[in-house]
Each structure stands twice: as structure tokens, then as C-alpha cells.
Amino acid sequence: MNARSALGKYGETLAARRLTDTGMAVLERNWRCGRTGEIDIVARDGDVLVVCEVKTRRGGTFEHPMAGVSPEKAQRLRDLAERWIQQHGGAPPGGVRIDLVGVLLPQRGAPVVEHARGVA
């Protein structure tokens, strides 16, 4: 595993912990759909299915992690959510929501984890 993928995995672990701490149930991590892409975290928030993109950045010169979802990425997440639903028995009664968790790892101090609901 290279440093970049290790950083991403660490950020996803922090994000999953944040989601479960807020009462959500993590159903799956790193769900892949062929060449279409990957959903970082699939979770349930009550009767809502949540497709969650995780962006992890080290403190410094990179853009803030919450700025990391372009309109194209948002559309890809919606498409992946549809495929996940098709493979897992249909949409839940509460529908589907796309969230973003941004993880910022400062050079000193604790990681900062931000959760934005319904970003796309």
C-alpha cells in the first residue's frame, strides 16, 4: 500500500467512526462497481440510504477536503448509488442521500472531521 492509499484508508476509517457516532449504520466500505467507480461508504441513516464520499487531505497547500466533489463526481456518485440499489433489492423508503465527509490532518493536533449531508 502506498502513502496516498494509506492516507485515504485512514480518512475513511475516521469518517466511518464519525458516521456511526452520529447514529448511522455503515453497511459497506469501498464498494466497487466494475470500471464505473467506487463508493467509499454506504450507510443507513434511519430509513435513508447514504452514499458517502470521503476526502482526506493533509494540512498545508492542498484544497480543503470539502471542496473535493465536482459536478462530474457528484453525477458519478448518483450513478453508483443507483447501481448499488439495483444490486441490493431496491430503494429504501426514505430514499437516497449523498453525503461528503472531509478529513483534514493537520501537521499537529487531532484530525478535523466534517460531515456535510445532502451535497449532491
Side-chain angles (χ1 to χ4, degrees):
M1 178 181 296
N2 65 31
R4 184 172 179 228
S5 61
L7 178 73
K9 192 144 194 75
Y10 178 62
E12 289 171 4
T13 297
L14 293 175
R17 188 176 306 151
R18 167 60 59 91
L19 297 176
T20 56
D21 286 350
T22 62
M24 295 171 69
V26 173
L27 304 176
E28 216 165 332
R29 287 178 58 178
N30 304 114
W31 181 79
R32 290 190 113 1
C33 182
R35 295 182 179 190
T36 305
E38 175 183 272
I39 299 174
D40 293 330
I41 298 173
V42 179
R44 192 181 70 245
D45 186 9
D47 63 352
V48 177
L49 180 73
V50 179
V51 170
C52 190
E53 176 72 5
V54 180
K55 293 292 184 184
T56 305
R57 302 284 188 268
R58 290 196 182 279
T61 59
F62 297 108
E63 73 179 351
H64 192 278
M66 299 302 272
V69 177
S70 67
E72 294 80 17
K73 178 67 174 182
Q75 183 59 52
R76 190 166 40 248
L77 289 169
R78 286 189 288 273
D79 293 344
L80 285 165
E82 184 62 35
R83 288 178 184 233
W84 194 93
I85 288 167
Q86 289 172 356
Q87 290 185 16
H88 292 84
V96 179
R97 184 177 79 220
I98 297 176
D99 289 4
L100 173 63
V101 176
V103 179
L104 184 61
L105 304 173
Q107 291 185 4
R108 296 180 190 191
V112 177
V113 182
E114 298 179 26
H115 177 199
R117 297 169 184 256
V119 298

